């Protein structure tokens, strides 16, 4: 594992030293390879797009599909760039707003936690640079699902933690949050909650992009346990290589909200963001592989 890790690390690091202009040229070539030759997950992407936007003609769906693959290749080289990008350049390219409001709310209301809902939208890896924008007394964390390949898992952990934040494995979420609460450590935690839960983790379905969709509810449940401020990260791609994330308040007293409403509002916000510029969401994920019909059949067994 160590040999693979060091080979990949130094190879990616050397590539990351290239200027973004050259990396985007590589991305343009990569797009032709991935889309036309390898045809990476083309069937899944097209199926997801047709199901999400049945009102759009085939020509428009294919246009969005190509835009998605072009962006996906940009995402790859932009993530690669993180290995060597300077703090100054990253702060210029990945900007944030709404942070002062979060900090003020946390201090004035004496809250230990702010939970920020995110999606696999635009370059979510660059959002890990949030610690560059937050006061030193506030810790930034992100929940992640460990990769099966240990070498690549270590690689991405080092990449995500290099900005001063901390990555929390999904299975350790509650334990780590309780530890932070005991330590009275004010913390902003990002939850990317837009992927498909496993069968035994499905507790709620909600309308999303034209289908009944199973969703993760852990963010809401834990948020109520620790009385966290709940925010939504609205992300836009300003232009190639530039993003802006605006933190928008959702709920400041989660325990006053009926069960699953917080999750439903998150999914509605995400749907609006995706519908506005759909090419920036992770369409190659098989999001609707678990249907409600099959779920109900399983419940009867």
């Amino acid at each position: 594992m160590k040999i693979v890790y060091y080979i990949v690390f130094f190879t990616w690091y050397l590539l990351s030293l290239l200027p973004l202009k050259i990396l985007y040229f590589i991305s343009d070539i990569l797009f032709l390879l991935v889309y036309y030759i390898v045809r990476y997950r083309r069937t899944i992407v097209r199926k997801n797009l047709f199901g999400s936007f049945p009102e759009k003609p085939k020509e428009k769906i294919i246009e969005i599909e190509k835009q998605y693959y072009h962006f996906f290749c940009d995402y790859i080289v932009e993530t690669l760039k993180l290995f060597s990008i300077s703090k100054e350049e990253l702060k210029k390219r990945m900007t944030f707003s709404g942070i002062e409001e979060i900090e003020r709310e946390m201090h004035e209301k004496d809250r230990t936690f702010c939970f920020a809902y995110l999606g696999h939208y635009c370059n979510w890896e660059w959002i890990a640079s949030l610690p560059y924008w937050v006061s030193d007394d506030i810790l930034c964390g992100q929940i992640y699902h460990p990769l099966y390949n240990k070498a690549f898992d270590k690689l991405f952990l080092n990449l995500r933690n290099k900005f001063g934040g901390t990555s929390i494995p999904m299975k350790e979420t509650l334990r780590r949050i309780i530890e932070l609460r005991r330590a009275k450590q004010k913390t902003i935690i990002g939850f990317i909650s837009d992927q498909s839960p496993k069968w035994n983790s499905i507790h709620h379905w909600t309308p999303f992009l034209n289908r009944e969709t199973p969703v993760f509810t852990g963010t809401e449940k834990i948020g109520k346990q620790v009385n966290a401020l709940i925010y939504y990260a609205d992300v836009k791609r300003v232009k190639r290589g530039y993003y802006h994330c605006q933190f928008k308040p959702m709920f400041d007293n989660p325990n006053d909200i009926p069960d699953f409403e917080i999750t439903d509002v998150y999914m509605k916000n995400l749907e609006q963001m995706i519908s506005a510029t759909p090419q920036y969401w992770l369409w190659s994920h098989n999001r609707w592989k678990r249907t409600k019909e099959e779920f109900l059949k399983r419940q009867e067994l």
Side-chain angles (χ1 to χ4, degrees):
M1 187 195 77
K2 288 185 178 180
I3 295 175
V4 174
Y5 171 79
Y6 286 116
I7 290 174
V8 175
F9 178 86
F10 285 114
T11 302
W12 286 8
Y13 179 80
L14 290 173
L15 285 172
S16 77
L17 295 175
L18 295 171
L20 267 170
K21 285 185 178 180
I22 296 178
L23 288 175
Y24 282 133
F25 175 72
I26 294 173
S27 173
D28 292 339
I29 297 173
L30 189 61
F31 162 72
L32 299 175
L33 177 66
V34 171
Y35 185 76
Y36 289 104
I37 300 175
V38 178
R39 299 171 67 89
Y40 173 71
R41 295 200 169 192
R42 279 265 298 269
T43 302
I44 292 174
V45 171
R46 190 164 297 186
K47 180 182 177 182
N48 284 343
L49 286 169
F50 272 116
S52 299
F53 306 110
E55 76 285 358
K56 295 185 186 296
K58 182 178 180 180
E59 294 76 14
K60 183 62 178 177
I61 292 295
I62 293 175
E63 178 186 343
I64 295 171
E65 179 183 85
K66 290 180 179 178
Q67 290 173 340
Y68 164 69
Y69 277 96
H70 216 153
F71 164 71
F72 181 71
C73 293
D74 280 0
Y75 159 78
I76 292 173
V77 300
E78 287 172 359
T79 302
L80 194 69
K81 187 64 180 176
L82 288 178
F83 280 88
S84 62
I85 194 170
S86 68
K87 177 179 178 178
E88 293 72 23
E89 185 175 5
L90 187 54
K91 286 192 71 173
K92 182 177 68 174
R93 292 178 174 274
M94 182 71 242
T95 58
F96 296 86
S97 61
I99 297 171
E100 291 182 358
E101 178 183 355
I102 291 176
E103 293 186 347
R104 184 175 64 252
E105 289 281 295
M106 292 183 76
H107 286 101
E108 289 180 357
K109 298 182 178 180
D110 195 26
R111 298 294 185 85
T112 304
F113 296 102
C114 171
F115 286 2
Y117 275 108
L118 299 98
H120 286 90
Y121 188 81
C122 287
N123 195 322
W124 58 91
E125 298 291 352
W126 282 21
I127 295 177
S129 64
L130 178 62
Y132 288 163
W133 297 77
V134 175
S135 300
D136 292 339
D137 64 325
I138 296 179
L139 177 68
C140 293
Q142 56 186 322
I143 309 302
Y144 82 101
H145 192 285
L147 301 175
Y148 291 110
N149 185 295
K150 292 184 178 180
F152 280 90
D153 185 57
K154 181 180 178 182
L155 198 68
F156 274 91
L157 268 180
N158 288 341
L159 195 64
R160 290 165 180 167
N161 292 343
K162 67 176 292 187
F163 310 109
T166 182
S167 295
I168 301 172
M170 187 179 294
K171 291 183 178 179
E172 298 179 17
T173 301
L174 184 58
R175 180 180 65 82
R176 293 286 296 276
I177 286 174
I178 290 173
E179 290 174 353
L180 290 167
R181 182 171 63 176
R182 287 174 179 167
K184 297 181 180 180
Q185 172 61 61
K186 293 189 181 299
T187 311
I188 300 173
I189 301 180
F191 290 78
I192 299 183
S193 304
D194 58 349
Q195 292 194 297
S196 181
K198 295 180 179 179
W199 288 114
N200 59 359
S201 299
I202 296 176
H203 305 291
H204 182 58
W205 296 75
T206 192
F208 175 64
L209 289 173
N210 235 22
R211 279 155 290 193
E212 281 292 308
T213 304
V215 290
F216 284 107
T217 57
T219 308
E220 174 180 334
K221 290 178 180 178
I222 298 173
K224 288 185 175 185
Q225 288 184 48
V226 298
N227 197 28
L229 298 170
I230 309 294
Y231 274 70
Y232 177 73
D234 187 85
V235 188
K236 289 182 173 57
R237 195 187 202 201
V238 180
K239 60 181 179 178
R240 197 177 199 183
Y242 291 84
Y243 301 90
H244 180 74
C245 174
Q246 180 184 5
F247 289 104
K248 296 182 176 181
M250 288 174 59
F251 302 96
D252 60 357
N253 292 300
N255 288 295
D256 295 340
I257 310 302
D259 287 346
F260 306 124
E261 185 173 327
I262 294 173
T263 301
D264 287 344
V265 172
Y266 157 64
M267 295 301 288
K268 287 178 183 176
N269 286 338
L270 179 66
E271 182 177 58
Q272 290 175 0
M273 188 170 69
I274 293 170
S275 297
T277 44
Q279 62 266 34
Y280 301 138
W281 193 50
L282 188 62
W283 293 103
S284 49
H285 172 60
N286 195 5
R287 182 63 181 86
W288 290 278
K289 60 187 173 184
R290 299 182 178 94
T291 66
K292 194 169 187 179
E293 290 76 15
E294 186 176 353
F295 174 77
L296 293 174
K297 287 180 181 179
R298 286 170 173 262
Q299 298 299 103
E300 294 173 357
L301 297 178

